Amino acid sequence: MEKDTGTTYATARQRGLLEARRRRPRARDWVVCLFAGLLMALLFGHGLVPEVRGMALAIESFLPWVGVVIAALLIVALLSKAWFGALPAAAALVSWCVIFLPVVATGIAPASAAGASEEAASGWSVVTQNLRAGNPDADVAVAKLIKSGADVVVLQELSGPTLERISPLMDGTFAHRQVAGTVGVWSRFPLSQGRPLALGLGWSRALSMRLESPDGPVQLYAVHLPSVRPSDVTSRNSGLAKLSRMVEADPSPRILVVGDFNAANTDRAFSPLLAILDDARSGFGFTWPASLPATRPDHILFRGFTVSGASVISSPGTDHLATMAWLQPGPTRPTVSFQG
């Protein structure tokens, strides 16, 4: 007969030590904490990232997508039972929501790109499109913009053959146009006082003009800022700075600055313009690359209007989506008059 050795039970002190050991953060918790901290640092301190090897450009262009990484990190923490790590990951997700949910919530309601109804988007409309130089379907692309019902069309990358190809269609639809270099504006409303702007390149990629809109005169800037490369953002930054100074000094009560800025809303070089103008958009309104939009370099910036609707439009042969907005009269800045 076997001897009964009895059952050994852990004492209260031993059970407490075991429970404390279970609650102690493990390596996986610290790893999750580290990544959550880095992601929060990017959200709030991306302006401190040095512009070396394109790091700042990449981070600021695609900053909203940090939310996807944070959500994935939180899911990993929960599935791996890294409870301590899940707390900072959740805090990082809340921080992202605080920063970016207002962008989604306060964005202008989307309206049909193929002719919005009177209720969906009233007022007159402006659309901007980078056609892509050498686009063999440029005429089809502008036909789609015309079908949208836009009153003002701003186009970039108008090479000679492209301009020749689209001119019959555009000039047959719009009574007025202004072209300088590779940027052009077609309008149903009168345009005057057009002049090229020097924003940092050897040829003209920007111009300003007076637009006689149904709401009164508007100073319109049509722009295509210099392109950026991971190793070079200097020309673009310089062009944005020059444009910001021009707009800030402009006393016009109503202003539109429209085109391809090669800068996202979260780009540090774009901040001076956003400090004096609003951006017409629906949600994030990503426009590039057209096949899978992940950032928004194309903008319709305004002052002296409210926006009743906004949308993006896919056009053939381009690597950008077009962006469109419907405008109504809004609060204006008093015109400054100078007396000699």
Side-chain angles (χ1 to χ4, degrees):
M1 184 175 180
E2 295 182 2
K3 183 179 179 181
D4 185 3
T5 57
T7 303
T8 301
Y9 294 96
T11 65
R13 180 174 178 275
Q14 290 172 330
R15 287 198 299 271
L17 290 173
L18 288 171
E19 189 64 28
R21 192 172 300 164
R22 291 193 194 98
R23 290 197 301 264
R24 188 180 302 159
R26 293 163 293 178
R28 71 188 72 170
D29 291 285
W30 294 117
V31 171
V32 174
C33 285
L34 175 63
F35 278 103
L38 290 174
L39 292 170
M40 286 186 71
L42 282 182
L43 287 176
F44 292 105
H46 59 86
L48 301 176
V49 176
E51 293 183 333
V52 177
R53 298 183 182 275
M55 288 191 300
L57 177 64
I59 290 170
E60 293 182 333
S61 296
F62 303 99
L63 192 64
W65 294 98
V66 170
V68 176
V69 181
I70 293 173
L73 182 66
L74 179 58
I75 292 171
V76 168
L78 295 175
L79 291 178
S80 63
K81 298 182 180 180
W83 310 121
F84 282 90
L87 293 176
L93 187 59
V94 169
S95 299
W96 183 93
C97 291
V98 168
I99 295 171
F100 288 110
L101 279 188
V103 175
V104 178
T106 62
I108 304 303
S112 169
S117 68
E118 193 76 23
E119 297 79 17
S122 55
W124 55 279
S125 57
V126 57
V127 65
T128 179
Q129 171 77 79
N130 183 323
L131 282 178
R132 188 175 68 83
N135 180 358
D137 298 315
D139 51 346
V140 181
V142 298
K144 198 165 185 180
L145 301 182
I146 292 171
K147 186 180 178 182
S148 73
D151 297 298
V152 179
V153 178
V154 179
L155 300 176
Q156 303 90 48
E157 295 203 10
L158 291 174
S159 61
T162 299
L163 181 59
E164 184 178 348
R165 186 168 190 165
I166 69 170
S167 286
L169 187 57
M170 295 295 286
D171 293 342
T173 305
F174 299 96
H176 310 277
R177 83 167 180 174
Q178 294 276 347
V179 176
T182 56
V183 174
V185 178
W186 281 260
S187 172
R188 302 183 195 276
F189 314 128
L191 301 171
S192 61
Q193 302 176 26
R195 63 184 182 92
L197 302 176
L199 295 180
L201 290 173
W203 68 97
S204 179
R205 292 193 358 167
L207 68 159
S208 70
M209 69 207 70
R210 182 184 174 100
L211 167 70
E212 298 296 341
S213 80
D215 305 319
V218 178
Q219 190 64 29
L220 171 62
Y221 296 81
V223 303
H224 186 190
L225 272 294
S227 300
V228 291
R229 300 289 183 270
S231 59
D232 183 18
V233 295
T234 304
S235 296
R236 193 244 8 221
N237 289 355
S238 176
L240 281 172
K242 290 179 182 178
L243 180 61
S244 299
R245 290 193 293 269
M246 289 180 192
V247 174
E248 189 170 22
D250 192 325
S252 304
R254 289 194 171 93
I255 291 178
L256 283 173
V257 187
V258 182
D260 179 359
F261 294 76
N262 277 307
N265 305 60
T266 44
D267 195 302
R268 67 192 70 181
F270 201 52
S271 299
L273 274 174
L274 290 180
I276 54 179
L277 300 171
D278 294 312
D279 192 1
R281 53 169 174 70
S282 173
F284 289 116
F286 297 138
T287 60
W288 184 89
S291 57
L292 188 64
T295 187
R296 181 180 171 87
D298 308 279
H299 304 276
I300 299 173
L301 305 182
F302 65 93
R303 182 174 77 201
F305 296 99
T306 59
V307 179
S308 61
S311 188
V312 295
I313 305 172
S314 175
S315 301
T318 71
D319 54 351
H320 290 245
L321 300 180
T323 183
M324 187 171 183
W326 286 259
L327 307 172
Q328 292 180 314
T332 60
R333 190 173 83 174
T335 303
V336 179
S337 59
F338 297 94
Q339 297 181 351

